[in-house]
Amino acid sequence: MKKIILTALLLAPVFAFAAGNVQLEGNFKVGPAIILICILVLFVMVGIVFRAKDTTDFYAAGRSISRVGSGMAIASNWMSAASFLGMAALMYGTGYHGLAYVIGWTGGYVLLLILMAGQIRKYGKYTAADFIGDRFYSQKLRVVGAIVAILISIAYCVGQFGGIGLMFKWILGIDYNLAVLIGGTVVLSYTLISGMLGVTKNMQIQYIIIIISFLIPLFILTYKFDYFWLLPQIGYGALVSDIVTGIPAPEIQNMVNSFGHDFALTASPEYAMPWDPASGQTFFQFMAIAFSLMIGTAGLPHVIQRFYVVPKSSDARWSVVWGLFFICILYWSAPVYSTFGAVLSSHYEVGKLAKDAIVVYTAQLGDVNPLIVGFLAAGGVSAAFSTVSGLLVAGASAFSHDIYVKVLRPESSPKQQLRMARYGTIFMAIIVAALALFNFALIAQLVAVAFSLAGCTIFPLFLLGIWWSGSNRSGAIAGLIAGGSVALISIAYFIAGYFNLTWPAHEFISYWLGAWYFAWFGAPLAIIVNIVVSKMTEPTPFEIKKFLVENVHS
């Protein structure tokens, strides 16, 4: 690790030769490009130094990660492009309503801490599907669980590849589609080399890059425009008040963007009122999103898998505490970019900017040094890379460990298992890149689809599987079918709408079972069906009940 840090420090002076004007869009940007290349080289080096030597390294990082290190990796893995870019994008577009995502994602980790982290580690498996197959004594459920885990990982990855594409496009001045393919190739390369061990080490470094690159512009912006810069997360509150009440152009001195534009803002109450009609959202949608993201967080395969990389169950709980601390630093800061972005882009010559890139645009419009803006963009790439690598490992583990090894070829050697895991990683990356080219929706919204899918399928199985020994195989199958059906209907209607197809009751389904929040209905339905069917069918085997009591809840 010392060698890695030393390398990063030696590369830092190179940035000084790369300063230059940075435009909102268009040309190749030398400074940001050098920063990005240096960071990517660093990631690949870490992947090589800590490459996976066996299946335990690939699946669970040798179960050797410390509490704080795991917390940093959790935070980095969690702070995806949806957090780094997407949250500010949502609040820039809809104001206070975007905080539903912050509440849901943060609350989900509290749910994990209380209900699952220690128990999952005590159960002692490698993957989510491994737990499902063992707890519900069914190879079929193991396969279905693995397929669901792969689908969730793919859905989540699509938004991340979109974020990578946006940042590569901005830095390199290339076409979005080409940017997605280049960025995807790089992250795939070092994931294939690393496995969970190298990915986890990279995540710790990526967290440092993410948080430093995210915070520096905030201090500069609040200082430059005379808000409380010592703690920007509090200082921007005065700016929110200015936006809500409206800003006549002469009112705030020196409040001009990097193009020299002054501006005037009409009153925007949606920045303080979560269900103001101006936001275009309702109370129901706010609550449904927050609830769906909360339970979805507790059912994400790549999040659950992070609890297997620590030595013991107490480390799993503490890693969540540390992860929450590290996550909150960024979550507390994201609204600053949306508020400054709304003000600095308000001049008619700037117009409404692409929401998913508002973090970078805000720094540019605030006339922040181009190198710092480039470092910010590289932080966005790091955020996406850290999540994508974790998702690819989770999906590949489900394919290799849960389908190939546990079902198809139990006699396969560790070398064959590792090879199949890498094949699975490549296959997933190809699918994700192809889907990312469609650019279906905002990054955070695409990610929310994965959360709702996890909330309808994996979350009920883990919740009941851990805390109710009466949940049996038949109940699990029935609950999975119920939750999966709701997810299938919602996603099918969403895709139909994207291609301008109108199906029966389209408006009703799109509102009440929206693609970002259908778990508000699907998860409770899956839990109820699981309980009812379990009560009516053959009880859980005694050996499993005994294991739960003695090993998981001891």
Side-chain angles (χ1 to χ4, degrees):
M1 188 60 69
K2 290 179 181 178
K3 292 179 181 178
I4 294 168
I5 295 171
L6 179 61
T7 303
L9 292 174
L10 290 173
L11 290 172
V14 178
F15 303 159
F17 296 99
N21 291 327
V22 178
Q23 300 176 2
L24 290 182
E25 288 288 359
N27 298 331
F28 177 82
K29 301 170 180 65
V30 178
I34 292 176
I35 294 172
L36 176 63
I37 291 169
C38 291
I39 287 176
L40 295 181
V41 169
L42 177 63
F43 293 164
V44 174
M45 285 173 57
V46 173
I48 293 171
V49 173
F50 296 101
R51 63 188 178 276
K53 298 180 179 65
D54 54 37
T55 52
T56 303
D57 281 351
F58 193 93
Y59 297 143
R63 303 200 195 277
S64 60
I65 307 301
S66 68
R67 296 174 177 182
V68 177
S70 179
M72 291 178 70
I74 284 174
S76 178
N77 193 26
W78 183 249
M79 290 188 306
S80 62
S83 296
F84 195 98
L85 302 173
M87 285 195 304
L90 286 164
M91 286 180 274
Y92 173 72
T94 61
Y96 194 108
H97 179 79
L99 288 177
Y101 290 78
V102 179
I103 293 168
W105 283 331
T106 309
Y109 265 99
V110 177
L111 197 65
L112 273 171
L113 174 63
I114 296 170
L115 293 179
M116 294 186 180
Q119 288 74 23
I120 288 172
R121 179 62 188 86
K122 284 182 179 180
Y123 211 96
K125 298 299 178 180
Y126 283 123
T127 66
D130 207 8
F131 168 88
I132 292 169
D134 189 82
R135 167 62 182 84
F136 296 104
Y137 46 98
S138 169
Q139 288 291 73
K140 291 180 180 178
L141 271 175
R142 184 189 302 277
V143 173
V144 172
I147 293 171
V148 170
I150 292 170
L151 292 175
I152 291 169
S153 298
I154 289 173
Y156 203 144
C157 266
V158 171
Q160 308 311 310
F161 268 54
I164 291 171
L166 277 174
M167 292 299 96
F168 270 68
K169 174 188 174 185
W170 179 85
I171 292 171
L172 303 178
I174 59 178
D175 177 71
Y176 170 79
N177 291 345
L178 180 60
V180 168
L181 296 176
I182 292 174
T185 301
V186 175
V187 72
L188 173 62
S189 299
Y190 95 83
T191 303
L192 285 172
I193 296 169
S194 306
M196 186 61 81
L197 179 60
V199 163
T200 301
K201 296 295 185 182
N202 252 320
M203 284 175 181
Q204 295 168 359
I205 296 170
Q206 286 160 347
Y207 174 78
I208 296 171
I209 295 171
I210 289 167
I211 206 65
I212 292 176
S213 67
F214 202 76
L215 292 180
I216 289 175
L218 300 185
F219 287 97
I220 295 172
L221 288 169
T222 47
Y223 177 79
K224 180 175 290 188
F225 297 117
D226 199 25
Y227 290 92
F228 185 64
W229 65 271
L230 290 174
L231 197 57
Q233 295 84 354
I234 291 177
Y236 87 97
L239 182 58
V240 173
S241 298
D242 291 335
I243 294 172
V244 170
T245 58
I247 305 175
E251 289 278 326
I252 300 181
Q253 298 299 320
N254 301 319
M255 193 71 161
V256 294
N257 62 28
S258 56
F259 295 108
H261 297 145
D262 58 2
F263 46 82
L265 271 179
T266 56
S268 303
E270 71 272 17
Y271 265 81
M273 303 295 178
W275 310 297
D276 190 275
S279 71
Q281 307 294 326
T282 64
F283 171 80
F284 161 74
Q285 289 174 307
F286 186 94
M287 299 302 294
I289 288 172
F291 177 79
S292 296
L293 295 180
M294 188 178 295
I295 61 173
T297 299
L300 286 176
H302 74 290
V303 172
I304 291 171
Q305 197 162 339
R306 295 241 57 86
F307 302 134
Y308 299 129
V309 306
V310 292
K312 52 186 186 291
S313 60
S314 60
D315 294 329
R317 288 191 294 272
W318 274 105
S319 66
V320 178
V321 174
W322 279 108
L324 266 172
F325 169 73
F326 293 131
I327 289 166
C328 283
I329 296 174
L330 185 136
Y331 274 23
W332 196 20
S333 307
V336 185
Y337 283 101
S338 64
T339 51
F340 273 103
V343 173
L344 294 172
S345 67
S346 61
H347 194 275
Y348 69 91
E349 289 188 24
V350 177
K352 203 70 173 176
L353 297 169
K355 298 182 182 71
D356 276 333
I358 194 60
V359 168
V360 174
Y361 289 156
T362 297
Q364 287 181 274
L365 289 170
D367 203 21
V368 174
N369 183 282
L371 285 180
I372 296 177
V373 180
F375 187 43
L376 179 65
V381 173
S382 297
F385 269 42
S386 62
T387 303
V388 167
S389 57
L391 287 165
L392 290 178
V393 169
S397 300
F399 171 72
S400 173
H401 182 264
D402 298 307
I403 296 178
Y404 182 76
V405 176
K406 292 288 186 176
V407 178
L408 300 178
R409 295 283 301 276
E411 73 285 356
S412 60
S413 66
K415 187 175 181 180
Q416 290 173 318
Q417 295 175 33
L418 201 55
R419 184 167 61 248
M420 292 307 298
R422 286 174 173 145
Y423 287 159
T425 304
I426 295 170
F427 183 63
M428 277 187 60
I430 292 171
I431 294 174
V432 170
L435 292 173
L437 298 179
F438 283 97
N439 204 9
F440 283 109
L442 292 175
I443 294 170
Q445 291 173 327
L446 288 172
V447 168
V449 175
F451 279 77
S452 277
L453 180 57
C456 286
T457 54
I458 292 180
F459 172 75
L461 293 177
F462 268 79
L463 180 69
L464 294 177
I466 289 171
W467 290 104
W468 185 45
S469 61
S471 180
N472 62 16
R473 177 173 55 198
S474 300
I477 293 171
L480 194 58
I481 291 172
S485 298
V486 172
L488 183 63
I489 291 169
S490 175
I491 295 173
Y493 270 80
F494 167 67
I495 294 174
Y498 177 80
F499 290 106
N500 297 316
L501 301 175
T502 302
W503 289 356
H506 199 103
E507 188 174 334
F508 178 86
I509 296 293
S510 297
Y511 179 77
W512 292 104
L513 294 178
W516 332 132
Y517 52 80
F518 56 82
W520 79 268
F521 178 73
L525 177 65
I527 292 170
I528 292 169
V529 169
N530 189 319
I531 292 172
V532 171
V533 173
S534 293
K535 288 283 189 181
M536 297 171 60
T537 53
E538 204 172 302
T540 305
F542 175 77
E543 293 77 14
I544 291 177
K545 290 183 176 182
K546 182 181 178 183
F547 181 83
L548 286 171
V549 172
E550 293 180 352
N551 295 78
V552 178
H553 296 295
S554 59

